Amino acid sequence: MTEIQGPKHKKDLTRRKVVVTGAGAVAAVGVAGGLAAGAFAGETGKGRKNPTPKASGSSSEVCYTLTSETTEGPYYIDADKLRQDITEDKEGIPLTLSLRVIDSESCKPIVNAAVDIWHCDALGLYSGYESLSTGGGGGAPTDAPSGTPTGEPPTDAPSGAPSGGTGGGGVHEEPTDDKRYLRGTWKTDRQGRVTFKTVFPGWYRGRTVHIHTKVHVDGTWTDAGYEGGTTCHTGQFFLDEESVLLSATVEPYSTSTTERTTLTEDTIYDQSGTAGGLLKLKYNKKNIAKGVIGSITMGVDPDATNDGTGDSTQPSASASASVSETAS
């Protein structure tokens, strides 16, 4: 499927629902994002509408426009869990995601939006789809080279080639199990901020290390969760090569023998930095195992529908010609 970006049009309300886990979860969502308060200083990037940063009308904070829309991939599960800590029992380097959602035209925060994130675990497995491992589907490769992955592209497979099976492309797959680790949804606060706790994602053949995200607006928060509304942004977050190579020295990442696609050869990342979803990462370079903080400001068009399914989207202006996704 071609990498895509949606045009503006009237809101097309579609029903969606987030399942609340535990009593009082909806009442608690208003406190989300407190850890993100100082996470965005020095963030850089450029957007399609605003090549240079501009100051918000409500403060001296600088905001940026994130323009890149992508396919949602085959492993999105609607009606996800409403929670900030999505780790469950998965091993890996602790990762705190400090996100902010703003209107790309006005730079004003998007309040009460529902933000989804989901990604694979340290060894490339997606919850709900473990039988389609590793990420690209068709089972774990049996001919993968041994040793820790390097920054060099694989020489025996084309860039973006999946490991086989039916998990490739943007075609949605039905879940094959009831696990939901490393998936969650939470509500943006008055500053448009939301924070998640998870683990540094691993990799699988055909894709660079990444995290999926969706932003939903104009829905209703109820005792049952989040209903209705429009998906105004579907994108992916990316992690720089230095960080990924450091993570590969830490267990369980170091036990992976799967070929790794680098950031520069990935078929989805459009090489535009923050505008393309590249996270700003903070960690101790001498001990990344202690944890990583990743932050980014997402500039979205709240009046658009970008659901990542290809029904209402068009190729990204910032993407290279004819870019296609071959795995989730």
Side-chain angles (χ1 to χ4, degrees):
M1 179 178 290
T2 301
E3 185 175 356
I4 46 182
Q5 177 171 335
K8 293 184 179 179
H9 56 78
K10 294 181 179 179
K11 295 184 178 66
D12 180 17
L13 295 183
T14 57
R15 181 176 179 82
R16 66 183 304 277
K17 184 173 181 178
V18 177
V19 178
V20 176
T21 57
V26 172
V29 296
V31 301
L35 294 177
F40 302 93
E43 186 175 339
T44 58
K46 66 178 182 178
R48 177 175 55 83
K49 298 177 182 177
N50 303 302
T52 58
K54 61 183 179 181
S56 168
S58 60
S59 72
S60 60
E61 182 177 11
V62 175
C63 61
Y64 299 87
T65 301
L66 178 66
T67 59
S68 297
E69 301 287 336
T70 73
T71 61
E72 69 177 26
Y75 301 140
Y76 175 62
I77 300 177
D78 200 2
D80 220 343
K81 291 187 175 181
L82 185 67
R83 58 185 181 179
Q84 285 181 283
D85 190 340
I86 66 174
T87 308
E88 294 192 15
D89 60 350
K90 301 307 292 184
E91 296 182 354
I93 298 168
L95 172 63
T96 298
L97 279 178
S98 297
L99 312 176
R100 191 173 189 229
V101 185
I102 62 171
D103 185 313
S104 62
E105 290 288 346
S106 68
C107 288
K108 293 182 179 179
I110 305 293
V111 181
N112 294 332
V115 178
D116 294 330
I117 65 165
W118 71 101
H119 62 86
C120 70
D121 69 5
L123 295 179
L125 302 179
Y126 277 88
S127 63
Y129 299 91
E130 288 189 346
S131 65
L132 299 180
S133 303
T134 54
T142 58
D143 58 346
S146 61
T148 301
T150 69
E152 296 301 320
T155 56
D156 60 345
S159 173
S163 58
T166 59
V171 180
H172 178 73
E173 295 283 347
E174 290 302 316
T176 59
D177 61 67
D178 59 2
K179 297 178 181 179
R180 295 296 182 267
Y181 56 80
L182 306 182
R183 297 177 180 273
T185 303
W186 202 253
K187 181 180 182 180
T188 58
D189 66 10
R190 293 181 180 179
Q191 288 76 45
R193 302 184 190 276
V194 61
T195 302
F196 292 97
K197 291 186 178 297
T198 183
V199 297
F200 200 96
W203 58 89
Y204 49 87
R205 188 176 298 172
R207 286 302 315 280
T208 193
V209 178
H210 65 283
I211 298 170
H212 292 268
T213 189
K214 282 180 178 281
V215 177
H216 312 276
V217 295
D218 297 325
T220 302
W221 292 94
T222 70
D223 290 341
Y226 185 82
E227 299 182 11
T230 304
T231 303
C232 69
H233 175 67
T234 299
Q236 296 180 27
F237 304 134
F238 300 94
L239 301 97
D240 63 77
E241 282 295 301
E242 180 182 12
S243 305
V244 173
L245 289 173
L246 285 173
S247 75
T249 66
V250 179
E251 291 187 354
Y253 309 89
S254 59
T255 66
S256 174
T257 58
T258 303
E259 293 170 326
R260 187 177 65 81
T261 298
T262 66
L263 192 63
T264 56
E265 64 187 352
D266 188 66
T267 57
I268 297 303
Y269 177 57
D270 61 14
Q271 314 300 321
S272 64
T274 303
L278 187 64
L279 291 168
K280 177 181 176 63
L281 301 180
K282 295 182 179 180
Y283 56 90
N284 184 342
K285 292 186 178 181
K286 295 182 179 179
N287 190 4
I288 194 173
K290 293 182 64 177
V292 177
I293 298 175
S295 61
I296 196 168
T297 296
M298 292 181 280
V300 304
D301 179 356
D303 296 322
T305 297
N306 292 310
D307 59 13
T309 63
D311 295 334
S312 57
T313 50
Q314 64 185 16
S316 167
S318 60
S320 57
S322 189
V323 177
S324 61
E325 181 176 37
T326 56
S328 76

